Amino acid sequence: MSIFTSDKKLGFGTMRLPLLDATKETSIDIEQACRMVDHFIEQGFNYFDTAWMYHAFESENAVKKILVDRYPREAYTLATKFHIGFVKSSEEKETVFNTQLKKTGAGYFDYYLIHDIETDNYEKYMEYDAFNWALDKKAKGLIKHLGFSYHSDAVLLDRILTEHPEMEFVQLQLNYLDWESEKIQSRLNYEVACKHNIPIVVMEPVKGGMLVNVPDSVKDMFKAREPELSVPSWAIRYVASLDNVAMVLSGMSNMEQMIDNTSYMKEFKKLTEEEMELCKTAGKIISGDIKIPCTGCSYCTEGCPINISIPKLFALYNREGDNYDEVVADGGRAGDCIGCGQCEGICPQHLKVIDLLKDVANKYE
């Protein structure tokens, strides 16, 4: 029996909710987000995903307003996450969890993830006894299903799944752009999860928007095949077509994206083998067009002592925009970076942020 209560594979990720002020992550447009939640549930979907640090720690508060306070508990399932990078001691785990329960008002979490496990922090998770701690919460009924999200290589993933058979699902970064990436290892990690026969929740299926704004040659290729379907539909349907994938998260930022995603995922049909190969061809074209593969998760910004808007600067650099002064108006400039390295320590894409900021500074300053 599946641990997921719906046969619909689309999940609503709340890391990129609509904003009233594009420069402030905390300015969530609650009214529009409520309409998006209503449409999502009306179309038969029920999986919502949030986390402690999303929207500068405001996402869980927003989930209470747009979902928990407005729907009976049985109408939805809710996932949230614990990230060791945001605590300074093992004892803080309890504070974080209790605060998450209070912020969401959910009473319990249907899915709880030990978040962003990678080579540099796995031993710290073990030192903080995070797995047994979460199992205790599950035994008390505060967590229904326990899993983890992962951003490292396939060798470590195999080790974790071997050492922790109590994990009920794994969340992986899978998309057709990263499928053969040596750094992200989408395909290799997918194959390890399949070997362990563990359900997969997919994050970053559109790579932070990189598989939305694609080169014209890729747009033309997709439109020639399916004129009525959007470009991002190919990315989401690609990963949803993979065996063992139980849920695909989409960080929808406006009503238009919500309507588009639910339209083709309501009665989802797997891509053909030929269509899967078409996506891989698109990935090869797109990979040659991207300078900095930042997904805009903003994990790096909260701890930046200079308050540099790192993801926005990288997005500007990628699209060769000219509004640099606007991007840095409320924070530090790229050249102000002091090289402390906190950003590199928490970046799930393992970017060399310090060097890349130098590239940005050289271009714009």
Side-chain angles (χ1 to χ4, degrees):
M1 184 177 177
S2 173
I3 64 171
F4 298 92
T5 62
S6 173
D7 60 351
K8 289 182 168 51
K9 287 189 173 185
L10 181 66
F12 188 170
T14 63
M15 187 170 77
R16 299 181 175 94
L17 290 169
L19 300 175
L20 296 170
D21 181 346
T23 66
K24 295 182 180 179
E25 281 294 305
T26 57
S27 66
I28 298 168
D29 185 344
I30 297 298
E31 184 178 337
Q32 183 177 180
C34 284
R35 293 198 300 271
M36 293 169 68
V37 166
D38 292 344
H39 183 83
F40 190 73
I41 289 179
E42 285 167 5
Q43 298 304 304
F45 301 90
N46 72 0
Y47 190 97
F48 293 83
D49 172 271
T50 185
W52 175 249
M53 74 296 297
Y54 291 175
H55 278 282
F57 305 96
E58 280 298 312
S59 178
E60 290 172 328
N61 287 328
V63 165
K64 185 176 191 300
K65 295 174 184 176
I66 67 180
L67 176 67
V68 177
D69 287 348
R70 301 174 61 243
Y71 283 91
R73 189 62 182 85
E74 65 274 12
Y76 60 87
T77 58
L78 180 62
T80 195
K81 312 174 186 77
F82 170 77
H83 195 307
I84 207 161
F86 294 89
V87 299
K88 296 179 181 178
S89 70
S90 180
E91 290 70 31
E92 286 186 50
K93 300 194 305 291
E94 204 66 29
T95 301
V96 168
F97 189 84
N98 290 336
T99 304
Q100 289 178 304
L101 285 174
K102 183 177 180 181
K103 287 169 74 174
T104 61
Y108 62 90
F109 299 115
D110 301 275
Y111 308 95
Y112 198 79
L113 294 91
I114 297 172
H115 192 32
D116 191 20
I117 298 181
E118 56 176 324
T119 306
D120 294 338
N121 66 21
Y122 179 49
E123 296 304 327
K124 191 172 182 182
Y125 273 118
M126 296 296 288
E127 177 190 341
Y128 281 20
D129 201 27
F131 291 89
N132 288 326
W133 166 78
L135 280 173
D136 180 64
K137 298 297 181 190
K138 183 182 175 185
K140 292 175 179 176
L142 297 173
I143 295 171
K144 299 301 181 185
H145 300 288
L146 182 60
F148 66 99
S149 68
Y150 187 74
H151 279 289
S152 194
D153 62 62
V155 173
L156 179 60
L157 179 61
D158 192 34
R159 176 187 164 192
I160 294 169
L161 289 173
T162 301
E163 293 178 354
H164 296 281
E166 72 275 15
M167 294 292 102
E168 297 174 87
F169 65 101
V170 61
Q171 188 162 301
L172 299 175
Q173 179 171 318
L174 303 183
N175 56 67
Y176 65 73
L177 181 63
D178 292 324
W179 194 244
E180 297 295 346
S181 166
E182 292 182 12
K183 184 179 292 185
I184 305 300
Q185 297 195 5
S186 279
R187 177 180 60 80
L188 294 175
N189 282 325
Y190 168 74
E191 290 172 353
V192 167
C194 289
K195 184 183 83 169
H196 286 268
N197 196 30
I198 188 168
I200 300 168
V201 175
V202 174
M203 56 184 162
E204 299 293 356
V206 297
K207 187 81 169 175
M210 290 182 185
L211 302 185
V212 178
N213 301 308
V214 300
D216 288 341
S217 59
V218 174
K219 287 182 185 176
D220 294 342
M221 191 167 64
F222 286 150
K223 289 299 180 182
R225 180 78 186 198
E226 291 282 1
E228 302 303 317
L229 288 176
S230 66
V231 169
S233 77
W234 286 90
I236 291 177
R237 291 182 302 131
Y238 176 84
V239 289
S241 298
L242 297 170
D243 294 336
N244 273 45
V245 167
M247 192 65 59
V248 180
L249 299 178
S250 178
M252 294 169 274
S253 301
N254 55 52
M255 196 65 188
E256 181 182 5
Q257 293 173 4
M258 171 64 72
I259 291 172
D260 181 46
N261 284 352
T262 54
S263 68
Y264 56 79
M265 289 300 290
K266 186 175 181 179
E267 302 295 336
F268 168 69
K269 293 181 180 178
K270 282 188 174 185
L271 296 185
T272 65
E273 200 166 312
E274 181 185 355
E275 289 170 331
M276 297 288 278
E277 289 302 317
L278 188 69
C279 290
K280 292 176 184 176
T281 300
K284 292 174 183 177
I285 297 171
I286 298 166
S287 63
D289 198 57
I290 295 172
K291 302 179 185 73
I292 303 177
C294 170
T295 63
C297 71
S298 295
Y299 289 7
C300 58
T301 57
E302 290 306 311
C304 178
I306 314 299
N307 193 30
I308 301 173
S309 297
I310 298 168
K312 292 177 182 177
L313 287 176
F314 288 171
L316 179 75
Y317 188 84
N318 277 337
R319 66 174 182 269
E320 299 186 351
D322 58 5
N323 60 327
Y324 181 76
D325 289 337
E326 291 179 24
V327 174
V328 299
D330 296 322
R333 299 166 72 83
D336 296 336
C337 172
I338 62 174
C340 68
Q342 75 81 30
C343 50
E344 295 188 357
I346 204 164
C347 175
Q349 305 304 315
H350 310 292
L351 299 178
K352 294 188 179 298
V353 180
I354 297 170
D355 290 341
L356 291 170
L357 284 174
K358 290 176 183 177
D359 293 341
V360 176
N362 287 337
K363 179 172 183 177
Y364 291 103
E365 298 175 16

